[in-house]
Amino acid sequence: GAVVSQHPSWVICKSGTSVKIECRSLDFQATTMFWYRQFPKQSLMLMATSNEGSKATYEQGVEKDKFLINHASLTLSTLTVTSAHPEDSSFYICSARLRTGVGQPQHFGDGTRLSIL
Amino acid sequence: DAKTTQPTSMDCAEGRAANLPCNHSTISGNEYVYWYRQIHSQGPQYIIHGLKNNETNEMASLIITEDRKSSTLILPHATLRDTAVYYCIVRVSPRRNRDDKIIFGKGTRLHILP
């Protein structure tokens, strides 16, 4: 079945640094990928929709200059958390779906646990 | 997309069938019902989806009522590994709507008891 891979699985870094998270669709092409954030004991919250070859669409309240998204190819989207601070510590998850086919589901990566010290 | 309502939590004995209900009374004709689950510290896992007919795959069965206002996910022989949060989501087929983002509710926390 369709596989979405995220890298890294977890990262710890100092406050003020920037962190890049990669999301790859391994066996299919994805025109659209999605980025979510999840805090402990809460549900997933959609941050932005990443479209190949165009600008990402951000949800209300998500700072586009803080969370930079690049979707340069049909198999790769990246999320960069710029100048990260402790409040950015969270579980970040991406998803993607096949380009064609009626009713195709989204497939999710295993997430990246980000801890900012 | 139509809203869904699910119980907050459920328990099920290991080896028994787990039946997870979902209400989606405002569903429209072109909206599919999708089920995902999230095991602790992992990304959500797709389980099954359907439009109006009942569906079955290697993981589960999906029963959709005739009026499509509710559905039930059935895990036929629950194991401890099925302990997770289960999300019922209703959305338009992405072929008709490019903006097919998923908005997650709180889901049902299913505990499989040994």
Side-chain angles (χ1 to χ4, degrees):
Chain A
V3 178
V4 175
S5 173
Q6 270 186 252
H7 179 80
S9 300
W10 58 271
V11 59
I12 302 172
C13 59
K14 293 181 180 180
S15 184
T17 58
S18 293
V19 179
K20 179 185 282 189
I21 302 170
E22 292 186 348
C23 178
R24 294 182 185 274
S25 56
L26 295 186
D27 53 357
F28 66 100
Q29 292 183 327
T31 308
T32 307
M33 293 183 175
F34 303 87
W35 286 96
Y36 295 81
R37 181 168 53 180
Q38 186 175 33
F39 293 107
K41 298 188 177 181
Q42 295 186 22
S43 188
L44 284 80
M45 184 185 75
L46 179 67
M47 298 176 67
T49 302
S50 171
N51 301 299
E52 187 265 336
S54 64
K55 291 183 179 180
T57 303
Y58 291 82
E59 295 298 303
Q60 192 172 10
V62 177
E63 300 175 58
K64 61 180 181 181
D65 295 329
K66 173 78 171 176
F67 300 98
L68 301 179
I69 291 173
N70 183 280
H71 193 155
S73 76
L74 286 171
T75 58
L76 174 65
S77 175
T78 60
L79 169 69
T80 301
V81 184
T82 61
S83 186
H85 289 97
E87 59 266 28
D88 298 321
S89 298
S90 187
F91 191 46
Y92 292 86
I93 307 166
C94 71
S95 71
R97 68 167 181 87
L98 287 152
R99 293 177 70 188
T100 59
V102 176
Q104 287 292 332
Q106 288 185 24
H107 296 275
F108 289 79
D110 273 338
T112 297
R113 193 161 298 282
L114 175 62
S115 295
I116 309 298
L117 304 177
Chain B
D1 293 336
K3 282 187 66 175
T4 62
T5 304
Q6 298 177 253
T8 303
S9 66
M10 292 181 62
D11 292 337
C12 178
E14 188 178 17
R16 305 294 293 269
N19 297 281
L20 291 91
C22 179
N23 286 323
H24 30 79
S25 58
T26 60
I27 192 170
S28 59
N30 60 351
E31 288 183 311
Y32 285 70
V33 180
Y34 293 81
W35 282 85
Y36 291 82
R37 73 180 181 184
Q38 186 178 24
I39 295 169
H40 183 62
S41 295
Q42 296 182 22
Q45 177 188 24
Y46 164 76
I47 302 173
I48 199 168
H49 75 284
L51 183 61
K52 44 187 166 182
N53 297 324
N54 296 337
E55 301 288 343
T56 296
N57 62 21
E58 64 278 4
M59 289 183 68
S61 294
L62 174 61
I63 308 298
I64 302 174
T65 57
E66 195 169 336
D67 63 8
R68 303 208 323 123
K69 293 184 177 182
S70 66
S71 61
T72 301
L73 178 74
I74 302 173
L75 307 177
H77 305 286
T79 70
L80 296 177
R81 288 178 295 180
D82 292 321
T83 293
V85 178
Y86 287 77
Y87 297 97
C88 168
I89 292 157
V90 173
R91 66 187 179 99
V92 176
S93 163
R95 190 173 189 179
R96 294 182 175 84
N97 181 359
R98 192 168 188 247
D99 184 20
D100 59 348
K101 57 189 179 184
I102 292 177
I103 304 299
F104 283 85
K106 296 185 178 179
T108 295
R109 190 171 294 276
L110 176 66
H111 298 278
I112 304 301
L113 307 175

